[in-house]
């Protein structure tokens, strides 16, 4: 055993690390010895763990403290904060919860709190919040995720489930051994594969991809960005227009059918509704055959390339991978439906190395071999409030009280929200059209936030309660999607007056008289032990022997045995479609869904279709000449630790990079290192030019995650000095079915910035008044 292996462990969504601690501080985070491709993100927390951005005491916005709920002479984020004691903070929060639920009902409390928070099984802020609010009478919640909300709504109508097939994607090892052609819509972005929800012990996306490429698999990267596929793989690049993947897939489907290359036996035995889809594909229903020539015109590709791709897919064992990002565009439901339709026409679903997969390297666990086990978690209780919203409709919730929204066959009514309670997420990172969100953010009487640092959400709260980081508490990283169980050590004492979320809620629960209901009479240490022991008993019945709790604390980690057989998505269904029928009305793959058709949505009929996006490079309005791709950042998880050393090192002159093709940069009159203004009719932000030949012409790329930093905090639509692209993206649902975010449908203009560059203040704390 090396010296490093004696060091305590911690775990996060981006990996597991050994910690070198001295003088009460974490001095170094070293990669876990079992991780051959560790993420550099984790160590970025070290220099900010005790830095000036830490929140050191409960804080209350000055005008709220003086005037009470709803008192707001200026926008949230403008006036200073007042430091208060925990005793006062607990009374203020409890009093506000009591006021709102008694006067307006519990549906007036929004506790969606979408976000990743800690990888620990117990100290997971969103779970803690939901348990607490359920004990207090319930709350309005959100449904689905920003990552792939459109698919979460759509795919169950096609396959009977979506989450099940995320966890059972065909394994990389079978792809290596059997796949001949790997067609990846949206590429295989290894930067995204650094992370995995709930923690990860070992990264394998890079090694598995390289191993597959070594077997002479042909890779086709269908993306506006060549770098979405590792350069050493040497795949073919089809640089289609953004947002046209569905049209390309329809062109492939048309070629397969008209050239007799599809598998009618598979379609007949395993699918439902191909005959209802065929008139649309052939143009009999609308006069427009969805041919390769038709698709080539929309995608701005060569017709022969589409014909060749379709023929190769039919003659080779083919895996179709669709990136999660495809769902985050206007009509984002359609690309996944089209991909499943094409895979069904090829007839290879359920075979080793064939069929389709949802986003290889979207997270580290995709394509891994691991056992899905019944791990226990903190019980959240039952929410008596029935109101909910689709996850990306927060702004509409706040501005359209009493109005309705169509969602997956339901008509929902937005309740009036008086209080927002947020713990573990940051809407000023992941939501679209931040100017519109800023206006809506003024509607509630009170915004309560748990945060450890002064990020863009904390600065816009009314009551801010300082919480610990994972380095300051014990926990267990234990997720069904990773074979490693890690005992997360408490490496340092909590910073200043910060408390873990459980203790924060316990204090408020005591004020509300619901302490026993929330805590169950248990400390956090007792909860951890009980959750683990319950898990240990559950998995023992399935043949897995986990170590005793004390032994886990002593060794620090445990790895489950690998499954005896690698995973093949829908293998059992293919082997016996009657015994293993899908959870769809027909029990089959629904190429045509009568359920969806009966919803009567004009933007999402009963089979996959091409619908023109609300703005795109092929549209009639070309007032903004560039398509903006605001993808996931390589140096942080979403916006987490944006102020840390790793993320700061990835910025260019302290701002987010705007990547642009050199010829497009020349047209704009800019060069590498220049400061530019990126704008459209929704907003504007600054960025630093980085020329990049791996981008398609007329496409620019700016990663999400830079903390929102308006030039004038009192103006909702003020220029973001730091480079947050969500000031530019439109806040529109993908369709009436999924209502997911459509951030990847966005046109912008780029121009040189003139004048004195404004100072970036995103990582500076607000003004604080000490009593």
């Amino acid at each position: 055993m090396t010296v490093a292996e004696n060091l305590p462990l911690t775990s996060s969504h981006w990996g597991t690390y050994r910690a070198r601690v001295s003088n009460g501080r974490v001095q170094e985070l070293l990669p876990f010895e079992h991780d051959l491709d560790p993420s550099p993100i984790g160590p970025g927390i070290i220099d900010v763990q005790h830095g000036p951005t830490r929140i050191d005491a409960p804080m209350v916005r000055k005008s709220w403290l003086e005037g009470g709920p709803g008192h707001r002479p200026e926008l949230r984020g403008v006036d200073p904060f007042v430091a208060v004691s925990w005793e006062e903070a607990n009374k203020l929060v409890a009093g506000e919860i009591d006021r709102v639920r008694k006067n307006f009902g519990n549906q007036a409390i929004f506790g969606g709190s979408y976000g990743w928070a800690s990888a620990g099984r117990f100290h997971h802020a969103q779970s803690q919040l939901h348990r607490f609010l359920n004990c207090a009478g319930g709350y309005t919640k959100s449904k689905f995720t920003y990552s792939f909300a459109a698919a979460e709504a759509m795919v169950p109508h096609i396959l009977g489930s979506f989450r099940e097939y995320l966890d059972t994607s065909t394994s990389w090892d079978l792809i290596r051994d059997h796949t001949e052609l790997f067609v990846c819509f949206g590429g295989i972005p290894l930067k995204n594969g650094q992370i995995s929800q709930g923690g990860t012990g070992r990264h394998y996306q890079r090694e598995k991809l390289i191993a597959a490429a070594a077997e002479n698999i042909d890779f086709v990267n269908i993306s506006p960005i060549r770098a979405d596929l590792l350069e050493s793989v040497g795949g073919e690049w089809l640089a289609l227009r953004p947002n046209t993947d569905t049209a390309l897939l329809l062109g492939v489907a048309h070629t397969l059918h008209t050239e007799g290359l599809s598998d009618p036996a598979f379609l007949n035995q395993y699918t439902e509704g191909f005959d209802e889809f065929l008139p649309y594909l052939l143009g009999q229903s609308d006069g427009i055959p969805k041919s390769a020539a038709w698709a080539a015109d929309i995608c701005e590709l060569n017709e022969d390339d589409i014909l060749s791709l379709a023929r190769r897919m039919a003659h080779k064992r083919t895996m179709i991978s669709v990136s999660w990002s495809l769902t985050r565009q206007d009509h984002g439901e359609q690309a996944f439906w089209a991909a499943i339709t094409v895979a069904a026409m090829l007839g290879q679903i359920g075979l080793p190395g064939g069929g389709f997969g949802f986003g290889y390297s979207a997270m580290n666990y995709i394509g891994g071999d691991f056992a899905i086990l019944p791990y226990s978690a903190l019980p959240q209780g039952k929410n008596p409030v029935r109101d909910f919203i689709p996850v990306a409709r927060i702004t509409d919730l706040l501005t359209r009280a009493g109005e309705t929204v169509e969602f997956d066959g339901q008509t929902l009514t937005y309740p009036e929200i008086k209080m927002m309670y947020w713990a573990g997420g940051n809407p000023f990172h992941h939501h679209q059209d931040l100017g519109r969100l800023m206006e809506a953010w003024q509607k509630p009487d009170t915004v309560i936030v748990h945060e450890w640092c002064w990020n863009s959400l904390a600065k816009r709260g009314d009551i801010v309660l300082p919480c610990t980081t994972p380095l300051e508490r014990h926990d267990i990283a234990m997720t069904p999607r990773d074979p490693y169980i890690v005992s997360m050590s408490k490496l340092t004492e909590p910073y200043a007056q910060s408390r873990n979320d459980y203790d924060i809620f316990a204090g408020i629960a005591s004020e509300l008289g619901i302490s026993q209901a929330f805590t169950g009479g248990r400390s956090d240490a007792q909860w951890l032990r009980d959750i683990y022991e319950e898990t240990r008993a559950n998995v023992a019945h399935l043949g897995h022997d986990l170590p005793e709790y004390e032994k886990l604390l002593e060794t620090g980690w445990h790895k489950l045995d690998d499954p005896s057989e690698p995973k093949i998505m829908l293998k059992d269904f293919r082997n016996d479609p009657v015994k293993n029928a899908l959870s769809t009305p027909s029990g089959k793959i629904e190429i045509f869904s009568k359920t969806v058709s009966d919803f009567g949505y004009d933007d999402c009929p009963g089979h996959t279709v091409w619908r023109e996006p609300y703005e795109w490079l092929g549209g009639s309005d070309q007032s903004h000449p560039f398509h903006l791709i605001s993808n996931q950042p390589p140096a942080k998880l979403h916006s987490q630790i944006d102020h840390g050393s790793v993320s700061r090192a990835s910025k260019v002159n302290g701002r987010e990079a705007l990547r642009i093709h050199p010829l497009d940069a020349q047209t704009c009159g800019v060069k590498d290192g220049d400061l530019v203004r990126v704008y459209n009719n929704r907003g504007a932000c600054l960025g630093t030019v980085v020329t990049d030949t791996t981008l398609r012409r007329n496409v620019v790329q700016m990663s999400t995650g830079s903390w929102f930093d308006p030039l004038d905090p009192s103006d909702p639509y003020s220029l973001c000095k730091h480079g947050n692209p969500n000031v530019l993206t439109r806040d529109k649902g993908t369709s009436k079915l999924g209502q997911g975010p459509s951030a990847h449908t966005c046109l912008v203009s780029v121009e040189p910035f003139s004048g004195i560059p404004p100072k970036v203040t995103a990582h500076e704390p607000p003004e604080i008044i000490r009593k």
Side-chain angles (χ1 to χ4, degrees), residues 635-664:
K636 52 182 172 281
L637 167 56
H638 304 314
S639 66
Q640 290 186 35
I641 325 182
D642 179 56
H643 57 321
S645 58
V646 175
S647 176
R648 293 199 312 271
S650 73
K651 300 178 189 293
V652 184
N653 298 329
R655 304 179 207 268
E656 193 60 51
L658 179 85
R659 298 187 180 276
I660 184 171
H661 193 281
L663 296 179
D664 290 330

Side-chain angles (χ1 to χ4, degrees), residues 11 80 89 131 133 142 147 161 224 307 331 342 344 363 384 429 454 467 476 497 533 720 731:
S11 193
R131 176 180 174 87
L133 290 178
S142 61
S147 295
S161 174
L307 293 169
H331 311 295
V342 169
M363 284 197 205
H429 155 67
W454 284 111
C467 60
I476 302 174
Q497 296 183 49
E533 293 296 353
C720 177
D731 184 15

Side-chain angles (χ1 to χ4, degrees), residues 155-161 266-274 276 337 573 576-596 606:
V155 175
H157 293 294
I158 312 168
L159 300 178
S161 174
F266 184 92
L267 290 171
N268 181 62
Q269 186 175 6
Y270 297 97
T271 75
E272 178 75 15
F274 183 74
E276 283 87 352
W337 204 347
F573 171 66
D576 191 335
V578 176
K579 179 181 178 182
N580 302 306
L582 304 182
S583 299
T584 57
S586 65
K588 299 180 179 182
I589 299 169
E590 302 222 340
I591 292 175
F592 171 84
S593 169
K594 184 177 184 302
T595 301
V596 174

Side-chain angles (χ1 to χ4, degrees), residues 448-506:
I448 302 170
V449 176
H450 292 200
E451 259 303 344
W452 66 279
C453 58
W454 284 111
N455 63 12
S456 46
L457 170 64
K459 291 178 181 177
R460 289 161 182 81
D462 294 317
I463 302 175
V464 182
L465 306 177
C467 60
T468 54
T469 73
L471 305 185
E472 299 164 344
R473 58 195 183 224
H474 291 290
D475 212 332
I476 302 174
M478 184 171 62
T479 169
R481 297 183 179 92
D482 195 88
Y484 285 89
I485 297 174
V486 178
S487 175
M488 299 167 59
S489 299
K490 181 180 178 180
L491 303 173
T492 69
E493 290 302 313
Y495 177 81
Q497 296 183 49
S498 60
R499 296 178 176 179
N500 65 55
D501 294 292
Y502 181 72
D503 287 342
I504 293 173
F505 285 126

Side-chain angles (χ1 to χ4, degrees), residues 363-377:
M363 284 197 205
N364 184 55
Y365 73 85
I366 304 293
D369 284 315
F370 48 84
I372 305 296
L373 299 176
Y375 286 173
S376 295

